[in-house]
Amino acid sequence: MAKERIVIDPITRIEGHLRIELEADGGRIGNAWACATQFRGIERVLQGRDPRDAWAFAQRICGVCTGVHAIASVRTVEDAIKCKIPPCAELIRSLVSGMATLQDHVMHFYHLHALDWVDVMSALKADPAATSRLAASLSPWPNNSATWYREVQKRVADSAGGGLGIFAGGYWGHPAYRLPPEANLMALAHYLEALSWQREVIRLHTIFAGKNPHPNYLVGGMACSINLDNQIAINQVRLDEIAGMIDQARRFVLEVYYPDMLAIASFYPEYAAIGVSSPTLIATGESAYSCSGAPAGGVFPAGVLLDGNYGAAHPFEHKRIAEFISSAWYSQPEGDRQGLHPWQGRTEPHYTGPTPPFKELSDHPKYTWCKAPRYDGRAVQVGPNARILLALAQGHAETAQLAGEGLGKLKAGVEALNSTLGRTYCRALESVLLARRMDQWFAQLNDRIRSGDVATFNPELWEPANWPRQAQGMGFMEAARGTLSHWVEIENGRISRYQAVVPSTWNSSGRDPGGQMGPFEQALAGDGTHPLSDPKRPIEVLRTIHSFDPCESCAVHMVVPGGGGVEVKVQ
């Protein structure tokens, strides 16, 4: 039987532009290529600029992953000039990035990933009273009335005449959907509630950092002042507002997101063994933890899990990172087969692919704008599952207790966290842990304010005259999607080199010179067992790719002119 060639372009419900090319045979995927089809080159834009302004440009890498790039950027500059920031500024950064991560995880689950598991049209057949009883059995969330679910059902039904509005284009009725109508209606209602929830809780950014998206940061601290007696500073009224937002975020995570995740996952247990990807995983500290210099970690230290041994954490060494361009449209004097550490890296675009329109990219040696980072020669998976697995390997009691309860309900072992279902579950689990940490960070900030410590900025090294003539810096950040690092070289007060190695570069990388697949590719075709029942409605592929929460804008930092909507081709 001839192998089918399948192209999914673009992958929707992600940030940026991603094309997946596949070979399938007998309902199984035999080969896969992840093709990032967008180039932006923010690293080149930053060359020659004032390092104090780098964060403002760097966070324009993406419209979703904004603040994390700003933090990584200010951290790498602070590392280069050896600037220490006040404790209050560090706590504010953690609160801002922590809320961004909570918002990101919730939005990913409901607005980017849920429709891979939830059949919207089936929800129209649900009994609202039965849906209310189901929801009440899972959580004390107040919006569990039959009246509310009937209203949601009507709102969705009213839009059906126009093709379901924001729900148009789904694979409704696909046999891979498993949820009963009542579970579909419950999840759909929470999808709509999450839209309002995320808009409210992210206002924390506007108080601490001026605006959202693209909140404001500052080399040396944060661009906000604390004065309980001043109406335009962070005062008691603002602190009370923030306390309410943190409580609102925690309650939604505990009473809606986490219960929904466990309930939906219970209908898809086979996905705990589908989408298994790279057995080497990296995390550089707790969620929302940022650091300048080599990462040390917060609640648990930075580390690496090698070759599927999830019980032994190895020290993380940044010198083992190298980026390859053997499958990416770049050039470098060292040649395509030479991997470069980020401090030696370049971003020199050199497109050698076919002239659009084209049928395939994977029949060329180079097929993506995404470089291929490797750690000690290994393809690496990063993300919430890497953080959770590393915390478990290091004996973090709180993580172990919560993960044990969740995996017990799912009837799965720790190895299931490296799977399509595992990556999705780890986001929800991490959100519970992070919601608790937000309370702790906020309490620590209030304690400092009450003791009279209100400094948010260290001015000692603001002026370039106080910097060394030449300096190197690196800044790490555990972003929602995984390990993020920025790397800078400064000469005479200006940026001479800038590189960003981001989570989706690790995860969506193409082949390296040895032919080793990147994590997206491994998850789809690593063992030849990934299902694909209907090539024209590839819902199984979307489930696995969405489980990584791709951000291709970050991954490569031109859209084909005249590009249209979703295109799925079977060749």
Side-chain angles (χ1 to χ4, degrees), residues 200-244:
E200 291 301 312
V201 298
I202 208 61
R203 289 192 299 113
L204 180 145
H205 280 198
T206 69
I207 294 175
F208 276 139
K211 60 193 180 74
N212 179 270
H214 305 303
N216 295 315
Y217 290 86
L218 186 67
V219 171
M222 287 296 292
C224 61
S225 60
I226 300 172
N227 186 331
L228 299 185
D229 298 320
N230 190 314
Q231 291 187 349
I232 62 173
I234 305 298
N235 54 32
Q236 191 59 55
V237 173
R238 295 301 189 195
L239 291 173
D240 290 344
E241 287 184 72
I242 291 166

Side-chain angles (χ1 to χ4, degrees), residues 145-485:
S145 70
T147 301
W148 165 241
Y149 287 114
R150 191 173 293 109
E151 179 183 336
V152 169
Q153 203 172 42
K154 183 178 184 305
R155 286 168 61 187
V156 175
D158 287 345
S159 70
L164 283 178
I166 61 174
F167 302 121
Y171 300 141
W172 317 129
H174 195 294
Y177 283 118
R178 301 269 184 79
L179 297 182
E182 286 71 28
N184 283 317
L185 178 57
M186 179 185 71
L188 183 59
H190 293 161
Y191 175 112
L192 297 175
E193 286 186 77
L195 288 170
S196 299
W197 169 87
Q198 61 88 21
R199 184 181 63 240
E200 291 301 312
V201 298
I202 208 61
R203 289 192 299 113
L204 180 145
H205 280 198
T206 69
I207 294 175
F208 276 139
K211 60 193 180 74
N212 179 270
H214 305 303
N216 295 315
Y217 290 86
L218 186 67
V219 171
M222 287 296 292
C224 61
S225 60
I226 300 172
N227 186 331
L228 299 185
D229 298 320
N230 190 314
Q231 291 187 349
I232 62 173
I234 305 298
N235 54 32
Q236 191 59 55
V237 173
R238 295 301 189 195
L239 291 173
D240 290 344
E241 287 184 72
I242 291 166
M245 294 171 202
I246 293 173
D247 181 71
Q248 188 177 4
R250 181 182 61 255
R251 190 172 183 188
F252 193 87
V253 166
L254 294 178
E255 297 183 11
V256 182
Y257 176 24
Y258 192 66
D260 278 2
M261 170 63 227
L262 290 175
I264 292 172
S266 68
F267 286 89
Y268 298 96
E270 73 275 19
Y271 275 87
I274 292 172
V276 177
S277 189
S278 169
T280 295
L281 301 97
I282 286 176
T284 56
E286 68 177 337
S287 177
Y289 178 79
S290 62
C291 72
S292 56
V299 171
F300 60 88
V304 184
L305 302 174
L306 295 173
D307 305 324
N309 184 351
Y310 302 140
H314 298 264
F316 172 77
E317 301 176 55
H318 75 84
K319 293 181 180 179
R320 297 181 181 271
I321 297 174
E323 288 192 291
F324 293 87
I325 62 168
S326 51
S327 59
W329 294 305
Y330 300 97
S331 64
Q332 59 190 30
E334 295 84 355
D336 287 356
R337 300 184 63 82
Q338 179 64 46
L340 298 178
H341 185 273
W343 270 333
Q344 284 75 50
R346 297 175 179 83
T347 304
E348 299 292 341
H350 182 58
Y351 181 74
T352 57
T355 301
F358 45 76
K359 289 186 176 181
E360 295 173 0
L361 291 172
S362 57
D363 55 356
H364 297 74
K366 297 195 173 199
Y367 55 87
T368 180
W369 282 111
C370 188
K371 296 179 183 179
R374 297 294 184 260
Y375 183 85
D376 208 17
R378 296 170 171 88
V380 170
Q381 191 178 171
V382 300
N385 66 331
R387 292 192 286 265
I388 296 300
L389 282 166
L390 184 64
L392 293 174
Q394 295 175 344
H396 187 238
E398 188 181 14
T399 303
Q401 180 265 329
L402 188 59
E405 292 176 0
L407 289 171
K409 291 179 181 179
L410 297 176
K411 297 180 174 61
V414 69
E415 68 283 349
L417 299 183
N418 183 5
S419 68
T420 298
L421 188 63
R423 284 182 288 271
T424 304
Y425 168 64
C426 281
R427 280 190 176 81
L429 188 155
E430 181 177 64
S431 295
V432 175
L433 296 170
L434 183 53
R436 296 172 181 172
R437 290 292 284 146
M438 292 284 288
D439 281 330
Q440 296 169 24
W441 287 324
F442 189 59
Q444 292 169 22
L445 178 64
N446 275 295
D447 287 345
R448 287 194 170 273
I449 293 171
R450 283 194 293 268
S451 71
D453 179 4
V454 295
T456 58
F457 174 60
N458 175 7
E460 293 177 3
L461 292 171
W462 176 252
E463 293 298 335
N466 297 322
W467 302 351
R469 288 188 60 222
Q470 293 184 317
Q472 282 184 327
M474 55 180 164
F476 282 81
M477 171 73 197
E478 278 299 321
R481 291 162 178 82
T483 300
L484 168 66
S485 59

Side-chain angles (χ1 to χ4, degrees), residues 418-565:
N418 183 5
S419 68
T420 298
L421 188 63
R423 284 182 288 271
T424 304
Y425 168 64
C426 281
R427 280 190 176 81
L429 188 155
E430 181 177 64
S431 295
V432 175
L433 296 170
L434 183 53
R436 296 172 181 172
R437 290 292 284 146
M438 292 284 288
D439 281 330
Q440 296 169 24
W441 287 324
F442 189 59
Q444 292 169 22
L445 178 64
N446 275 295
D447 287 345
R448 287 194 170 273
I449 293 171
R450 283 194 293 268
S451 71
D453 179 4
V454 295
T456 58
F457 174 60
N458 175 7
E460 293 177 3
L461 292 171
W462 176 252
E463 293 298 335
N466 297 322
W467 302 351
R469 288 188 60 222
Q470 293 184 317
Q472 282 184 327
M474 55 180 164
F476 282 81
M477 171 73 197
E478 278 299 321
R481 291 162 178 82
T483 300
L484 168 66
S485 59
H486 283 220
W487 309 75
V488 71
E489 288 186 347
I490 300 171
E491 294 184 13
N492 297 320
R494 294 284 165 175
I495 295 172
S496 58
R497 186 194 303 266
Y498 202 99
Q499 292 289 295
V501 185
V502 310
S504 291
T505 312
W506 287 104
N507 286 334
S508 64
S509 62
R511 269 94 162 152
D512 59 28
Q516 183 178 201
M517 293 180 175
F520 283 11
E521 297 169 341
Q522 289 187 40
L524 293 173
D527 60 9
T529 65
H530 195 292
L532 179 59
S533 59
D534 182 354
K536 294 185 177 180
R537 297 191 296 169
I539 192 168
E540 301 94 340
V541 175
L542 295 183
R543 286 171 175 172
T544 291
I545 293 299
H546 284 154
S547 74
F548 287 93
D549 192 10
C551 183
E552 297 310 296
S553 291
C554 291
V556 294
H557 316 296
M558 296 186 212
V559 182
V560 176

